[in-house]
């Protein structure tokens, strides 16, 4: 294998034993058309099925294949980081092995790269293969994220893209281990273009992203690139303090002028409970950021490679 191939295909894998061979049969002929030198890097992210053995068997058939075996499951963002940091290509393309993102787009990626673009994004123009809940939640997330963050993340764009080597070298300088890769990709910048495409259904197997994982993923994206959730509690504090000040002044004036007091036990209890809930929510948001600081301060590695095969 050439030590410095033109193209690196980076594929994080977790329990994908049924689709690896289908993926290779699809993508290898495409790669052989667009470049003479390439590598395919599979990152086995602690799979609990037979994925690792399937990858080793595939390596015997495909000489351009490399397998990074992580010591345990670190999550897709860590596995993707491992693949990019260990790739040698002048251009690199992360892609899932489930074939929802069509490998045929690699031809267009390479054309745009040779035109001088450092980043070529695959934009999902048709998401009919996704559920309504997934489409609506994704739309809501990107709208909120881009309003409160200084970094604009293109909507309907996933990890599937081409990046030049200098873009990936920039990503390697970023030290955080709580990584939201779409945000880091956008942060890096460089000359960028988009190619629209229709997303397909999975070739085999099932998605490993539950609703809870997607929720935590969204929290990582927001807390990793915006401090607005922290600042909003200052504004809420000012708002409620102002309301309390004017309402207190109203009660004092009414008592002085009319000589009436207000028992107001029920309203007082409701107000206390409401403000207590607001304070607990504020502490929860603060805790999210403190938790991120705590994890980053330990400086643990993002991933551990057990071995390369």
């Amino acid at each position: 294998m050439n030590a410095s191939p033109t193209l690196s295909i980076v594929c994080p894998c977790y329990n994908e034993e049924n689709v690896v061979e289908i993926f290779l049969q699809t993508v290898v002929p495409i790669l052989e058309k667009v470049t003479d030198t390439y590598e395919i890097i599979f990152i086995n992210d602690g799979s609990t099925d037979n994925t690792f053995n399937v990858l080793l068997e595939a390596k015997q058939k495909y000489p351009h294949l490399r397998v990074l075996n992580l010591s345990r499951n670190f999550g897709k963002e860590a596995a993707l980081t491992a693949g990019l940091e260990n790739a040698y290509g002048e251009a690199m393309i992360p892609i899932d092995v489930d074939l929802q993102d069509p490998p045929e787009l690699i031809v267009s990626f390479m054309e745009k790269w040779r035109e001088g673009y450092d980043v070529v994004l695959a934009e999902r123009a048709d998401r009919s293969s996704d559920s309504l809940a997934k489409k609506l939640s994704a739309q809501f997330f990107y709208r909120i994220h881009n309003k409160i963050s200084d970094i604009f993340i293109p909507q309907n764009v996933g990890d599937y893209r081409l990046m030049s080597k200098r873009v990936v070298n920039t990503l390697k300088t970023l030290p955080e281990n709580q990584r939201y890769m779409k945000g880091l990709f956008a942060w890096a910048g460089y000359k960028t273009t988009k190619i629209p495409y229709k997303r397909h259904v999975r070739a085999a197997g099932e998605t490993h992203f539950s609703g809870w994982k997607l929720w935590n993923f969204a929290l990582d994206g927001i807390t990793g690139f915006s401090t607005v959730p922290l600042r909003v509690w200052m504004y809420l504090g000012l708002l409620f303090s102002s309301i309390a000040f004017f309402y207190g002044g109203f009660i004092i004036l009414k008592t002085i002028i009319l000589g009436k007091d207000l028992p107001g036990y029920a309203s007082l209890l409701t107000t206390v409970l409401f403000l207590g809930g607001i304070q607990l929510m504020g502490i929860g948001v603060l805790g999210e950021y403190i938790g991120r600081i705590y994890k980053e301060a330990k400086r643990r590695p993002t991933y551990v490679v057990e071995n390369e095969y």
Side-chain angles (χ1 to χ4, degrees), residues 2 19 36 67 79 126 136 198 247:
N2 193 320
V19 76
D36 294 329
V67 179
D126 186 336
L136 291 177
K198 179 179 179 180
Y247 185 62

Side-chain angles (χ1 to χ4, degrees), residues 108-144:
S108 300
F109 281 169
M110 295 298 287
E111 290 175 354
K112 292 296 183 181
W113 176 64
R114 291 184 174 115
E115 289 175 12
Y117 289 98
D118 286 293
V119 179
V120 186
L121 304 176
E123 183 178 34
R124 299 166 186 169
D126 186 336
R127 301 188 61 166
S128 56
S129 62
D130 293 336
S131 66
L132 178 62
K134 186 173 182 179
K135 286 187 284 190
L136 291 177
S137 61
Q139 185 179 15
F140 177 75
F141 166 75
Y142 285 113
R143 184 171 298 174
I144 293 297

